[in-house]
Amino acid sequence: VKTQLQLQQQASAMVSPSGLTFRGPLHCFSHTLQRHGVVGLYAGGASWIAFAGPRSAVRFSTFESLSSLAQRAGVGGSPAADTACGLFAGILEGALCQTPSQAIAIKMIHDQSPQGPKRYKGFFHAIQMIHAEHGVARGFFCGMLPAVAKGAATNAIRFPVFGAIKRALQRDETRDAPLPPGQAVLAGGVAGAVSAVATQPIDVVKANMMGLEADRFASTAGCTRALVAAGGIGALFQGLTPRVVRVFIEVGLQFALYEQISPILDRVLG
């Protein structure tokens, strides 16, 4: 739903004045359900699942490794250190995992949109067609700059916000202990929601640079100008509500798991 709304732009040649336009998240949800069934709500989901493990592994292992280095250097545990470690973790995650994963998923979602060509028959068929038509670089790594920028920004926000909430919830004697799962989900969810609102414009630009009309945009700046010129500044906040809800749940669960495995990572990484 979030991606469908982000791709519904007045700058798009696939959205005509006489064609169907979604009036909001619920309208998009109901139309997709009626037209494509429950499966339609999970278009591109296979790509998300395939990269979910590597994405989280790169994010948290990189953050934990950098945090350990910061601790040994005597500068760890501060909001500034969390921000810097999260920033570099996000850059690696965005380049190695987010870009190819979302390039596939967004094209699959765009394909089944109301004005989409509806050619992809599944995950592997989509990969074959994307490779045949666009090659590796343009097919799977288009939109890398906004993807990396979004990954860096979200993690630079999430880790320090989570750390601040965690420090506020814990007493001095429990400062090094993991948060209880319920508190970790809440703290992680709030951190995720804050990052989603702050990075929504980047996410919208990224989606349009990864969709089926990616070739229309020569650069990130050009894509941004085209979207704003056609739809105003509000075009950069399309799909905000469903993204905030999804990210709250997803990031809350990720941080709850991270809190449980963080002590293990600390022992392994020294």
Side-chain angles (χ1 to χ4, degrees), residues 184-185 188-189 247-258:
V185 169
V247 170
F248 182 95
I249 297 170
E250 177 189 351
V251 177
L253 293 174
Q254 288 176 344
F255 270 102
L257 178 60
Y258 168 70

Side-chain angles (χ1 to χ4, degrees), residues 99-118:
T99 301
S101 169
Q102 295 188 7
I104 297 168
I106 289 171
K107 285 181 176 64
M108 293 182 70
I109 294 169
H110 210 178
D111 179 71
Q112 76 157 26
S113 65
Q115 283 79 40
K118 301 171 181 60

Side-chain angles (χ1 to χ4, degrees), residues 240-252:
L240 176 61
T241 300
R243 181 171 180 239
V244 169
V245 172
R246 180 189 64 79
V247 170
F248 182 95
I249 297 170
E250 177 189 351
V251 177

Side-chain angles (χ1 to χ4, degrees), residues 11-44:
S12 171
M14 291 174 61
V15 178
S16 63
S18 59
L20 173 70
T21 55
F22 298 124
R23 296 187 295 272
L26 293 179
H27 180 227
C28 180
F29 179 90
S30 62
H31 174 269
T32 303
L33 189 63
Q34 292 171 4
R35 190 73 179 269
H36 303 283
V38 175
V39 175
L41 297 173
Y42 292 90

Side-chain angles (χ1 to χ4, degrees), residues 2 16 21 46 64 87 119 122 131 133 171 175 181 185 209 223 266-268 270:
K2 181 267 295 186
S16 63
T21 55
E64 197 66 26
L87 180 72
R119 297 184 303 157
H131 181 266
E133 294 176 0
R171 291 186 290 270
R175 189 70 72 191
V185 169
M209 291 191 70
C223 179
D266 287 338
R267 290 195 295 271
V268 171

Side-chain angles (χ1 to χ4, degrees), residues 6 195-204 236-240 243:
Q6 289 180 332
S195 73
V197 174
T199 62
Q200 180 67 7
I202 306 175
D203 196 55
V204 171
L236 299 179
F237 289 90
Q238 292 274 53
L240 176 61
R243 181 171 180 239

